[in-house]
Amino acid sequence: MRNKAFTLIELLVVIAIIALLIGILLPSLGSARNSAKMIKELAAARQLGMGYLMYTQDNRDRMFLVYDRTPGVDVYNDRGTKLYDARTQREVGDVAGSGAMYGYSWRLAPYFDYVVDGALMVNEQAHAIDDARFNDDINELEYTYATNNAPSLGMNAVIGGVPGFGYQDDDFGDLLLRGWGLRRITKVNQMQFPSSFMVFGSALSTEYPGFEKGYYYIRPSQSHFDPNDPDKFGRIDLRWKGKAVISKLDGSAGTQSEFQISLLEWINDGGDIRHLSDNHMLWGGF
């Protein structure tokens, strides 16, 4: 009676089929992982957006500044460490004189219950901050500074407060003064299209090793996106298949492309403010 067994050719065929299936499935698995990461960032954008709206409701429609040296209230980080004393208007403890709380992160944190992982820090940023928490070489100041300055989502600099950002900067020339309509926004009711105004967006940095996928502000730009030079596209990162996650003033969140975000397309085409679509209201046009 003959023993039943696979021949060498049959084994090779099976191995080839398995290899082919793996080759087909791997890109799908990679795409699924990226989709899961994008969904996490969208959830963070919604959480930050809701926190932002809660702040405006508590403060008579006034918008929360991107950067503020005099927040008017005591500021703490997620560890309960006091960072800023409202009475003396000074930073306190290890962060004194460092500027580690002037970005939006820790000032807005009470409105999303000081959630760092999944709100301020998502995906790579969350892993980096987790490593920092358990690293004896990372002190309180370094942890607080990195979390404050490199959240996954940056805030729209048009809202105000960012040092060096104005409306007559050399890199903008007189363009904004000649009709693009960007203005400093201080109250929600100044916006005609809150559903089109961007508050938060995927950010990119080269300044904080280990925390590259984030920065505390994003800003209008006249240049195309360059992953090697974040400043060219105002620190917005098109990391989701050429799109960035954004959160709008009405609390909604989604993704938008460079074309939808940038004013550059309209500048190159001789665009007129009267012809701007809702997408180009993102930066505060009116």
Side-chain angles (χ1 to χ4, degrees):
M1 185 174 177
R2 295 180 60 187
N3 292 326
K4 293 183 178 180
F6 289 111
T7 65
L8 179 59
I9 294 176
E10 289 172 330
L11 286 172
L12 290 175
V13 169
V14 170
I15 291 171
I17 292 172
I18 292 173
L20 179 62
L21 290 173
I22 290 173
I24 293 172
L25 290 174
L26 277 179
S28 298
L29 292 174
S31 179
R33 281 195 294 267
N34 285 336
S35 294
K37 288 182 177 181
M38 185 185 71
I39 289 170
K40 285 183 180 179
E41 191 162 299
L42 278 169
R46 292 188 183 97
Q47 190 163 348
L48 291 178
M50 293 306 296
Y52 195 90
L53 288 175
M54 289 170 63
Y55 172 88
T56 62
Q57 291 166 4
D58 288 347
N59 291 271
R60 298 182 179 180
D61 217 31
R62 183 165 295 278
M63 296 183 74
F64 184 91
L65 293 178
V66 181
Y67 186 95
D68 190 2
R69 288 187 177 274
T70 56
V73 295
D74 293 340
V75 179
Y76 296 82
N77 66 14
D78 64 320
R79 295 171 168 179
T81 303
K82 190 173 185 178
L83 308 177
Y84 178 85
D85 185 273
R87 184 181 63 82
T88 61
Q89 296 188 359
R90 293 180 182 274
E91 295 166 284
V92 296
D94 291 340
V95 304
S98 70
M101 47 67 57
Y102 296 139
Y104 83 81
S105 304
W106 295 123
R107 294 184 295 110
L108 190 62
Y111 288 92
F112 49 87
D113 295 328
Y114 292 92
V115 175
V116 175
D117 294 359
L120 284 179
M121 300 294 196
V122 187
N123 300 320
E124 290 89 347
Q125 301 295 86
H127 295 316
I129 209 68
D130 282 341
D131 292 341
R133 286 195 187 102
F134 300 105
N135 188 339
D136 293 336
D137 295 330
I138 304 293
N139 61 32
E140 183 82 9
L141 172 58
E142 291 172 310
Y143 171 81
T144 303
Y145 197 81
T147 313
N148 177 74
N149 285 276
S152 295
L153 297 162
M155 189 183 292
N156 188 346
V158 171
I159 296 172
V162 174
F165 178 82
Y167 297 86
Q168 299 182 41
D169 290 351
D170 291 339
D171 55 346
F172 283 86
D174 65 351
L175 175 69
L176 302 185
L177 304 179
R178 285 192 291 106
W180 284 103
L182 295 189
R183 59 176 177 176
R184 192 177 302 279
I185 307 299
T186 59
K187 289 196 172 184
V188 174
N189 61 18
Q190 289 178 299
M191 291 305 306
Q192 294 183 24
F193 304 99
S195 62
S196 295
F197 179 71
M198 176 165 51
V199 180
F200 298 98
S202 302
L204 185 65
S205 173
T206 55
E207 297 183 20
Y208 302 97
F211 295 91
E212 291 88 356
K213 294 292 184 179
Y215 200 66
Y216 75 96
Y217 74 83
I218 53 179
R219 57 177 286 179
S221 170
Q222 295 183 45
S223 301
H224 285 293
F225 173 66
D226 181 350
N228 298 314
D229 187 353
D231 280 323
K232 283 191 175 179
F233 198 54
R235 296 189 181 273
I236 297 177
D237 188 10
L238 305 175
R239 51 179 169 251
W240 307 116
K241 294 183 178 180
K243 294 185 176 183
V245 164
I246 65 169
S247 175
K248 298 180 183 179
L249 191 55
D250 65 349
S252 64
T255 58
Q256 298 228 343
S257 67
E258 177 175 354
F259 176 80
Q260 293 170 311
I261 293 171
S262 180
L263 294 173
L264 180 63
E265 304 296 334
W266 288 95
I267 297 169
N268 289 340
D269 293 338
D272 189 300
I273 187 66
R274 292 170 296 179
H275 302 145
L276 289 178
S277 68
D278 280 356
N279 282 327
H280 295 86
M281 309 300 285
L282 287 168
W283 292 113
F286 64 99

